[in-house]
C-alpha cells in the first residue's frame, strides 16, 4: 500500500492502494540514478507471517570464465563459447538470454540468441547456462587462409544488457574427413561414436575429436593435416564390434568406409584347482588381425562368472588375479563364430615367467 504524502496535491499516488510495489506504483522503487528498480509482488499474509517475492531489475550478474574451446579452430568445425554467470545480487534473475554477435562477414554465428536458465540469488551457472547449450561459431569449410574475427558475447536480463565481453578467434584451413559406418550387410549404423586422436603439434587448435554418426551412418570431421588413428565404438549393448583403423595420413579431403563385425556372447565360469568359483580374477583376451594385436579385459563377478561380446575370430585367453600379485595363466585359444560357453580352471602353484 502506498498512501502518498497526505495534503500534498502534487502527489498523484495520494491515497492509492496497490497489490505490487513497482516503479509504476511507487517512485521509491527506482534508484536515485534511474538505472535500477525493484519489484515486490506475490504478497500474502498468514497470521503473523508475510511472504513476498523481491526482484531487482536489472539483476546484478557477473560474467566470468568466458572462453572459446580454443583460440584457433579448424574451418568447418562448430565451436562453443563457454562461460559462467553468477547472480551476485540478493534477488532472483529471470528472463536471461545470451546473445553472440560479430560484424565479421566470414565468421558464422550458429545460435545467436539463446535462452538461459533463471539464477537464484547467490547461484552460479553450472555447465551450459540454458536448455540449448552454449553459443557456437563456425568458419566456412572452404577457408583458404587463417582468418581472425572479433566476437562479442552479451547477457540480457528482461531485455536489458547486464554484461558484455569480446574475444578474438582465428579460423584455420582444414580438411574434411568423412567416416561412413555400416554393419556386415552394408546397412548404415547411426549413433556410433567415431573418435580421432590428436596429431603432434596441434594442441592449441580446436577440432572435433569425437562425433556420432548421423542417420545415414556418417561422421564428419574437419581436421588439420596430420596422421590419425580412428576408433569406431558402438554402444555397450550393441551387437556390433568396436573397430580400430590403423594409421591414416590426411593432407586433403578424405573418406573411409568402416564395416563393423557382428559380435557374439562369450561367457563362462573361472574356478580354482579345487573347482570353486573365483571372484578376484581378470580375463585378458587377445586377437591378431591383419598384423594388429587387439586386446580387451574384464573381471569375474562374485560367483566367478564372466560375460562379454566379441567379434568372430580366434582369441587367446589369459587370466591373472585382480591384485596383480600372481602370474598370468595362459588358457589357450577359443574360436568365436557364435555364442560360446568357455569355462576356465586355474592351475595351482603356477610358475611365473619374468
Amino acid at each position: 500500500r502506498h498512501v502518498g504524502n497526505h495534503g500534498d496535491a502534487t502527489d498523484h499516488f495520494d491515497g492509492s492502494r496497490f497489490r505490487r510495489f513497482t516503479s509504476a506504483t511507487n517512485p521509491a522503487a527506482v534508484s536515485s540514478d534511474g538505472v535500477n528498480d525493484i519489484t515486490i509482488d506475490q504478497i500474502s499474509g498468514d497470521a503473523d507471517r508475510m511472504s513476498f517475492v523481491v526482484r531487482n531489475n536489472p539483476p546484478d550478474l557477473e560474467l566470468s570464465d568466458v572462453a572459446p574451446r580454443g583460440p584457433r579452430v579448424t574451418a568447418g568445425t562448430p565451436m562453443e563459447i563457454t562461460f559462467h554467470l553468477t547472480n551476485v545480487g540478493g534477488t532472483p534473475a529471470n528472463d536471461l538470454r545470451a546473445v553472440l554477435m560479430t560484424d565479421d562477414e566470414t565468421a558464422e554465428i550458429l545460435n545467436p540468441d539463446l535462452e538461459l536458465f533463471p539464477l537464484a540469488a547467490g547461484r552460479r551457472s553450472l555447465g551450459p547456462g540454458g536448455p540449448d547449450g552454449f553459443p557456437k561459431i563456425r568458419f566456412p569449410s572452404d577457408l583458404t587462409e587463417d582468418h581472425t574475427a572479433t566476437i562479442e558475447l552479451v547477457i540480457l536480463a528482461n531485455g536489458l544488457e547486464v554484461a558484455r565481453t569480446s574475444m578474438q578467434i582465428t579460423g584455420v584451413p582444414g580438411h574434411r574427413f568423412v567416416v561412413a559406418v555400416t554393419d556386415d550387410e552394408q546397412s548404415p549404423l547411426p549413433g556410433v561414436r567415431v573418435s580421432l586422436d590428436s596429431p603432434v603439434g596441434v594442441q592449441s587448435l580446436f577440432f572435433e575429436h569425437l562425433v556420432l554418426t548421423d542417420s545415414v551412418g556418417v561422421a564428419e570431421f574437419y581436421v588439420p593435416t596430420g596422421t590419425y588413428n580412428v576408433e569406431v565404438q558402438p554402444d555397450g549393448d550393441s551387437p556390433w564390434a568396436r573397430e580400430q583403423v590403423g594409421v591414416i595420413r590426411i593432407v586433403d579431403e578424405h573418406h573411409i568406409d568402416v564395416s563393423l563385425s557382428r559380435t557374439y556372447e562369450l561367457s563362462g565360469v573361472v574356478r580354482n584347482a579345487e573347482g570353486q568359483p573365483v571372484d578376484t580374477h581378470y580375463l585378458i583376451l587377445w586377437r591378431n588381425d591383419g598384423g594388429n594385436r587387439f586386446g580387451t579385459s574384464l573381471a569375474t563377478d562374485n560367483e566367478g562368472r564372466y560375460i562379454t561380446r566379441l567379434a568372430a575370430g580366434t582369441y587367446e585367453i589369459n587370466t591373472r588375479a585382480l591384485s596383480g600379485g600372481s602370474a598370468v595363466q595362459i588358457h589357450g585359444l577359443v574360436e568365436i563364430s557364435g555364442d560360446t560357453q568357455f569355462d576356465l580352471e586355474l592351475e595351482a602353484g603356477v610358475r611365473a615367467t619374468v
Side-chain angles (χ1 to χ4, degrees), residues 90-102:
T91 61
N94 300 289
D95 192 18
L96 302 177
R97 307 197 71 82
V99 177
L100 200 64
M101 60 182 70
T102 183

Side-chain angles (χ1 to χ4, degrees), residues 244 284-296 316 318:
Q244 292 176 305
I284 307 162
L285 301 104
W286 293 99
R287 174 170 67 98
N288 292 319
D289 185 10
N292 297 314
R293 183 169 168 84
F294 299 113
T296 187
E316 175 187 305
N318 304 330

Side-chain angles (χ1 to χ4, degrees), residues 3 15 17 26 68 74 78 95 117 123 152 199 207 239 298 307 340 353:
V3 297
R17 292 171 179 265
N26 195 313
T74 54
D95 192 18
F117 296 123
R123 296 300 297 272
E152 288 192 296
F207 63 95
L298 66 154
I307 185 170
T340 303
T353 300

